[in-house]
Amino acid sequence: MAAGTGTAGLHTIRENNLRAVLRTVRALSPCSRAAVATATGLNKTTVSSLVADLMDRGLVRETGQTPQGRVGRPGVLLALDDRSVAAVGVEVNVDYLSVVAVDLVHRELVRGHVPLDARSAGAHACADRIATALREVTEEPAMKGRTVVGVSVAVPGLIDAPSGTVTRAPNLDWRDVPLRDLLRTRLEGSTLAEATVLVDNDANLGAMAEYRFGSLAGLGDLVYVTGEVGIGAGVLTGGELLRGAGGFAGEIGHLELTTDGPECSCGRRGCLEALAGIGAILRAALPDLVGDLPLNGGDVADLVDTVVARASAADPTAVEALERAGTWLGRGVATLVNVVNPGAVVVGGYFVPMAPWLLPACRVQARARSFAPEAGGCRVEPSDLGMSAASRGGAAVMIHGLDAGELPLP
């Protein structure tokens, strides 16, 4: 028997065909079985069998008939079934935990955002809190009767994606944390026990959210810059994440921009994060409120609001701190422009409310320090996805995994 033609081979072929039909219905919805057959190159009998299978799995449903005015016999239209499955994205950062659940058509079902002092809590306590949040999500009314096909967890640090290990997250004080294994253990016996768990970098998942849902959705050459206590970049080229040989690409927060700058969480001096990260901004803008100690989880959001209030009132210390940080940020953006020539750099997180004072200086530096004229056409814009970009992007990645063959079909 030829390789790949046994039972296992036929099963693989059918699974691939199921995904091809699912992708086609997503792209053409609402569409007829005949349209699916034409688009996939599969014969109509095979398509009918595959559609029936997808309907049994709760992934495709019939929505009605084609208009009577069309030539030929009217056909029943197909669409994705948005009633039966869901995916959940979680982001754990220095001072908060964000959770988003979406359905098969990426419609948001649940969103939550709670303060969390992740640095003080430690990795195991954070894993406990993530597992609790995931269980709470499944109990929401909008999740009733749904199968969670995947869970994505975004972390600000270096991630070994195949093993789900957080290799290094300086701002969380985590090193070699097997986060996926910790979560799987905690989810045993729950409705999430069979769900695929992915751990990825927060900037990467933020970039995917911008690509799919942001104000510049569809722009394939895009960089998302996190505006948190740490600074990272998710880099998209042609709509695909640039990960690098070890999966560690995008750590622009640790570009050394000056040799005599402040100490960074990574142990070096003069990194972009130490010059323009939220911690650096808060210490410079609020010298009367923020000392030299690490920021406590839960305090950052209130302090950012205070900076914005003072800058809005033209407080010179706050305005100068933001403009100085914007200048350093622009130098980091110029490096990105020179290396990957993105169509846009989108800044997120706490950078968004500070954007009116931060981005003018950033744009000036990006243009001045880029080799290509006018920064190679790169725009620098604030995100409109709020603090849930990474969790929203993570949930979207899991839904995409169904179509792409990265997750088992339910």
Side-chain angles (χ1 to χ4, degrees):
M1 182 177 291
T5 59
T7 302
L10 293 174
H11 175 76
T12 299
I13 291 171
R14 184 169 180 82
E15 289 287 305
N16 288 339
N17 286 341
L18 283 168
R19 291 189 174 91
V21 172
L22 186 62
R23 287 193 297 270
T24 302
V25 173
R26 183 183 295 281
L28 302 181
S29 178
C31 58
S32 67
R33 287 169 173 80
V36 173
T38 300
T40 59
L42 299 169
N43 66 56
K44 293 182 180 179
T45 301
T46 299
V47 167
S48 293
S49 173
L50 295 169
V51 167
D53 194 342
L54 291 171
M55 291 175 67
D56 288 342
R57 296 172 188 245
L59 298 174
V60 169
R61 61 188 176 94
E62 295 178 340
T63 64
Q65 291 188 325
T66 55
Q68 294 290 335
R70 287 189 181 180
V71 177
R73 182 180 179 182
V76 177
L77 294 179
L78 303 171
L80 295 179
D81 193 336
D82 57 2
R83 303 166 298 181
S84 59
V85 303
V88 183
V90 179
E91 179 187 3
V92 57
N93 221 301
V94 174
D95 64 315
Y96 66 85
L97 184 72
S98 173
V99 184
V100 172
V102 302
D103 65 14
L104 193 59
V105 295
H106 298 293
R107 182 185 59 182
E108 189 174 287
L109 301 171
V110 180
R111 178 190 293 197
H113 185 93
V114 295
L116 173 68
D117 189 349
R119 191 204 314 267
S120 298
H124 287 264
C126 283
D128 290 338
R129 186 65 189 89
I130 293 169
T132 298
L134 289 170
R135 287 192 177 92
E136 291 172 349
V137 164
T138 63
E139 295 170 359
E140 291 286 334
M143 299 289 283
K144 184 177 181 180
R146 294 180 183 272
T147 299
V148 176
V149 294
V151 172
S152 176
V153 183
V155 179
L158 300 179
I159 311 297
D160 178 51
S163 69
T165 298
V166 181
T167 303
R168 189 181 184 194
N171 290 310
L172 297 178
D173 197 24
W174 292 6
R175 186 183 288 271
D176 297 326
V177 174
L179 185 57
R180 184 170 66 191
D181 291 343
L182 294 178
L183 288 175
R184 281 179 168 167
T185 298
R186 286 157 173 78
L187 294 174
E188 288 178 358
S190 75
T191 57
L192 296 166
E194 301 301 319
T196 299
V197 178
L198 166 78
V199 180
D200 206 343
N201 174 266
D202 61 336
N204 285 343
L205 295 177
M208 294 306 299
E210 292 294 338
Y211 178 54
R212 295 183 181 279
F213 312 114
S215 60
L216 301 176
L219 180 62
D221 294 287
L222 174 148
V223 176
Y224 175 78
V225 176
T226 61
E228 313 293 345
V229 174
I231 298 179
V235 182
L236 290 174
T237 59
E240 299 292 332
L241 280 169
L242 177 66
R243 292 188 177 274
F248 301 149
E251 290 295 331
I252 65 161
H254 301 290
L255 286 173
E256 186 178 323
L257 298 183
T258 178
T259 57
D260 59 352
E263 185 176 0
C264 182
S265 62
C266 70
R268 290 185 285 269
R269 289 189 173 275
C271 294
L272 175 61
E273 185 175 297
L275 296 163
I278 295 303
I281 291 173
L282 294 179
R283 292 184 184 95
L286 305 174
D288 55 323
L289 299 178
V290 182
D292 294 329
L293 296 176
L295 295 169
N296 293 320
D299 293 343
V300 176
D302 290 340
L303 291 170
V304 168
D305 288 343
T306 301
V307 172
V308 171
R310 291 188 182 184
S312 298
D315 176 76
T317 301
V319 171
E320 182 182 347
L322 289 169
E323 291 178 345
R324 184 166 59 249
T327 296
W328 288 115
L329 184 61
R331 295 183 183 185
V333 169
T335 300
L336 289 170
V337 169
N338 289 334
V339 174
V340 297
N341 186 211
V345 171
V346 181
V347 299
Y350 292 121
F351 283 158
V352 174
M354 298 177 173
W357 305 274
L358 199 68
L359 292 193
C362 175
R363 292 174 178 132
V364 168
Q365 286 295 310
R367 289 193 298 270
R369 293 178 177 271
S370 301
F371 179 72
E374 294 300 314
C378 177
R379 301 163 56 184
V380 182
E381 302 291 345
S383 172
D384 63 356
L385 297 181
M387 303 301 288
S388 64
S391 49
R392 181 75 186 272
V397 164
M398 304 313 285
I399 292 295
H400 174 73
L402 285 177
D403 298 4
E406 296 160 1
L407 272 68
L409 293 172

